[in-house]
Amino acid sequence: MTIEGENQEFPMEELSEEQSSHEEVTDKPKKSNWKYIVLGILILLIGTFLWWTRSLPTTPMWVTLPSSPGILIGSENVLSSWKEIRDSEWDESISEALTPGKRKVYQSAVGENSFLHLLMSDYPAICGMYQTEKEGKAIIGVVNLGWKVKLTHNLRFILGKKFILESQVFGDQVLVTSLKRNNHTYGYYFVYNNLLVFTTHQSLAKRSIESIEEGGELTDLSGKSFTEGALFEVWAHPSAVYSLMESYFVEPLVSIKGLGKLLGYQHWVWNKEEKQLRASITTQQKGFSLESVWWMWSGTQSSKELLTVIPKDVTMASQWGLSNKINERRAALKRAGVAPWEVIEQRLKIDIAKDFDSWLGDEAAWVKLLPSQLKGKDGEVMLLKTDNPALASEKLRDLNELIEKQTLERFSELKYRGFAIGYLGIEDLLPRIYGEAFDRIKRPYYTVLGNAVAFSNHPLSLKRLIDAKLDNKTIDIDSRTIPKSAMYFWGQGEALYQDLPLWIDQEGLKLMRNKKTLMGSIVNFEGVLSPRSKFNGASFVTFQYGDEKEAQITLEQLKREQTALDEKKISAYLDEKEMPQQKAFMIAAPKVADDNNMIKFK
């Protein structure tokens, strides 16, 4: 009864539902492990891929570079650098500076091309320029593609649409492919392990392969790596850069060439900072060595007092320190058989130490005044600091009178706004006394401006300095940040472009024609150079971006103000005879006959 009663408390429907529910739970399949299986397969594939990529043979990028490059330019991430420039205010100026073919490549949508982006992204690239005897300038470009080099068969397909491809084997079975179109060869490329190499000349491709197979020729760069985060980097020896450009100069730039010998191998790391392009410079030279062109340069930090007599608006200028050990350096040069000042002492019976070194200070400067009617070197000025202006005036005046007795000089002294301008008819006077760093002054007119002795090839250039000093248009060193330096230089791009014909020949000017927008956009530039490794942190170059049209307007306004001052009614005195300034400077200006009337030395 009890059992029956208990059974009556559970109706048959509930028992049936409970049984059905139990059957459903029992029939549900067990949970699958398919996710773990897929994950395992992915890990296996990734591991296999990583093992494969690491098992591929690799070659350091630097070993592809033959010896003696003029200049090397590289980037840790070529596409990132390209994008950063394209996104900056410099984009249009740089684009205009390129040839049509290079501009098309520069403006191409590389970043939007998934294949090229996959191929080149996050990989370093380097480009080198060489000077060859037979073929002129040759260029090599190298990209480290890593495992993605295996995709370069697609590159052959792409290039084949625009070029005729011809292949030739060099070295140990390296296939070099030429790119030809309309009977013209545009370049060559080859793949070596993880590297893709382009060259402009077949001979350079052959040299590159030889360098690879011999383990590299640039041993100094074999252990180098790119600077993290840099826009791009430059490795060069200034002397090699000079050699690449030398064929375009109107005449040899002896002072620039000599400077290159002193500075040693350079590493420039470029970055973009707001509207500036800035390069931090490291020199590989371990110390300063005596050099006949720049033997007066101290190579150490110097004062900047000379800047107070330099006009604030110039095309370009540089300032550097002079050694306070002139006697020791002259003695060292004499022991090396270099003493060009001695012929002056013998001819004029003077003592360079007493007549020049006695008043000399510890600074020198070179200035290219704003573009004007002055041609060639006539618009350039060299300055020497003096700690004794009265002694400098006395010694130079005595020398002037001595030279007058031996030549047929047309005037003795020109006085303008209280300053005396004299003329020393000795060919190459300054380079013989103080080194060929001063070789820009061939027929020295001179004046003493406070603590500065200024020399120029034309009296009108000295007039510009006098006007700037008296009209308070010189550099204000108290309101302007002047970096400590062994050599400081500065200028403005638009004025420099207009003055290029003074230094660059017609062939070079043709190459620079499309650089006008870029140079005009550099509203100002400045830099610091040091030949001593311990001053590496202080060396730099900066380019400040600005509006090209505004720069042109400003420059034309300055030139009009300069012309107006030249035409202003101011009296001058030529050998104590009063006359309008225009007439006085016209008479005192150099004539062709003056060159034949100078004291010259073989």
Side-chain angles (χ1 to χ4, degrees), residues 145-157:
L145 297 179
W147 69 268
K148 297 174 186 176
V149 76
K150 298 299 182 180
L151 304 177
T152 52
H153 66 277
N154 291 304
L155 181 63
R156 185 177 181 88
F157 173 75

Side-chain angles (χ1 to χ4, degrees), residues 11-278:
M12 290 300 297
E13 294 87 350
E14 293 183 10
L15 289 174
S16 176
E17 289 175 4
E18 182 179 344
Q19 183 178 3
S20 175
S21 175
H22 177 72
E23 289 175 355
E24 288 179 6
V25 172
T26 304
D27 295 341
K28 188 175 181 178
K30 295 182 179 180
K31 187 175 182 180
S32 175
N33 294 323
W34 66 271
K35 293 183 179 180
Y36 298 103
I37 296 174
V38 172
L39 180 60
I41 294 174
L42 286 175
I43 293 175
L44 180 62
L45 290 175
I46 293 173
T48 303
F49 175 75
L50 292 175
W51 171 84
W52 173 74
T53 57
R54 295 194 177 189
S55 66
L56 294 174
T58 60
T59 300
M61 187 167 56
W62 304 99
V63 303
T64 63
L65 302 173
S67 61
S68 304
I71 186 170
L72 298 174
I73 303 175
S75 172
E76 184 181 29
N77 188 334
V78 64
L79 274 189
S80 294
S81 299
W82 174 82
K83 290 177 182 178
E84 187 172 351
I85 294 175
R86 287 301 312 269
D87 294 339
S88 73
E89 56 279 329
W90 293 91
D91 176 47
E92 183 177 352
S93 300
I94 293 176
S95 178
E96 291 295 323
L98 301 174
T99 60
K102 293 178 180 177
R103 186 182 304 128
K104 187 175 181 180
V105 174
Y106 174 77
Q107 294 178 340
S108 64
V110 174
E112 299 175 4
N113 186 305
S114 58
F115 170 71
L116 288 179
H117 185 78
L118 173 67
L119 187 66
M120 299 182 67
S121 182
D122 300 326
Y123 283 93
I126 195 164
C127 177
M129 181 177 290
Y130 292 77
Q131 181 69 42
T132 62
E133 293 183 3
K134 296 181 179 180
E135 300 171 318
K137 297 176 180 61
I139 299 174
I140 183 172
V142 186
V143 183
N144 184 351
L145 297 179
W147 69 268
K148 297 174 186 176
V149 76
K150 298 299 182 180
L151 304 177
T152 52
H153 66 277
N154 291 304
L155 181 63
R156 185 177 181 88
F157 173 75
I158 295 172
L159 294 175
K161 293 182 177 181
K162 294 188 176 182
F163 299 97
I164 296 175
L165 306 182
E166 297 181 0
S167 299
Q168 186 176 355
V169 176
F170 287 96
D172 186 15
Q173 301 300 310
V174 179
L175 192 67
V176 178
T177 302
S178 62
L179 309 175
K180 296 183 178 181
R181 187 170 60 199
N182 299 329
N183 297 321
H184 177 74
T185 301
Y186 287 85
Y188 303 81
Y189 81 91
F190 65 90
V191 174
Y192 195 97
N193 290 340
N194 52 307
L195 305 176
L196 175 63
V197 182
F198 284 92
T199 67
T200 55
H201 294 72
Q202 187 182 72
S203 59
L204 189 56
K206 185 177 180 181
R207 286 183 59 194
S208 177
I209 294 171
E210 291 173 351
S211 176
I212 294 172
E213 294 178 344
E214 292 174 3
E217 297 178 3
L218 293 179
T219 55
D220 291 343
L221 293 176
S222 59
K224 298 292 182 182
S225 59
F226 288 103
T227 303
E228 186 177 355
L231 184 62
F232 62 93
E233 301 178 57
V234 176
W235 295 263
H237 196 295
S239 295
V241 176
Y242 179 89
S243 297
L244 288 172
M245 301 173 61
E246 188 172 13
S247 61
Y248 299 120
F249 294 146
V250 173
E251 61 179 315
L253 301 179
V254 179
S255 58
I256 300 297
K257 187 175 183 179
L259 185 63
K261 294 179 180 179
L262 280 179
L263 291 177
Y265 202 82
Q266 305 277 303
H267 179 203
W268 294 34
V269 180
W270 287 89
N271 283 289
K272 184 181 175 299
E273 300 176 1
E274 296 182 353
K275 290 189 175 183
Q276 274 190 358
L277 287 178
R278 180 184 177 91

Side-chain angles (χ1 to χ4, degrees), residues 278-292:
R278 180 184 177 91
S280 298
I281 304 172
T282 301
T283 177
Q284 305 301 317
Q285 186 95 348
K286 299 303 181 183
F288 182 81
S289 58
L290 193 63
E291 203 274 337
S292 59

Side-chain angles (χ1 to χ4, degrees), residues 414-513:
L414 189 163
K415 288 187 177 179
Y416 172 73
R417 299 182 73 177
F419 289 89
I421 297 175
Y423 173 70
L424 303 173
I426 301 178
E427 185 180 48
D428 294 332
L429 175 66
L430 291 182
R432 284 185 175 276
I433 296 177
Y434 292 126
E436 289 184 285
F438 296 84
D439 79 316
R440 302 297 294 176
I441 307 301
K442 299 298 184 183
R443 44 176 186 268
Y445 291 82
Y446 71 90
T447 189
V448 179
L449 296 165
N451 65 340
V453 180
F455 296 89
S456 180
N457 295 299
H458 200 290
L460 203 56
S461 292
L462 300 179
K463 174 187 179 297
R464 301 266 193 271
L465 264 66
I466 294 171
D467 289 335
K469 181 176 179 63
L470 295 179
D471 297 339
N472 295 318
K473 292 185 177 180
T474 57
I475 297 174
D476 184 357
I477 61 175
D478 293 327
S479 62
R480 176 174 170 175
T481 302
I482 307 297
K484 295 180 179 180
S485 61
M487 176 174 286
Y488 175 54
F489 65 90
W490 68 98
Q492 49 182 303
E494 179 62 31
L496 183 59
Y497 182 85
Q498 293 188 21
D499 271 336
L500 283 180
L502 304 181
W503 305 292
I504 308 297
D505 63 14
Q506 290 301 315
E507 184 179 355
L509 291 175
K510 289 179 182 178
L511 298 176
M512 294 297 296
R513 193 170 297 159

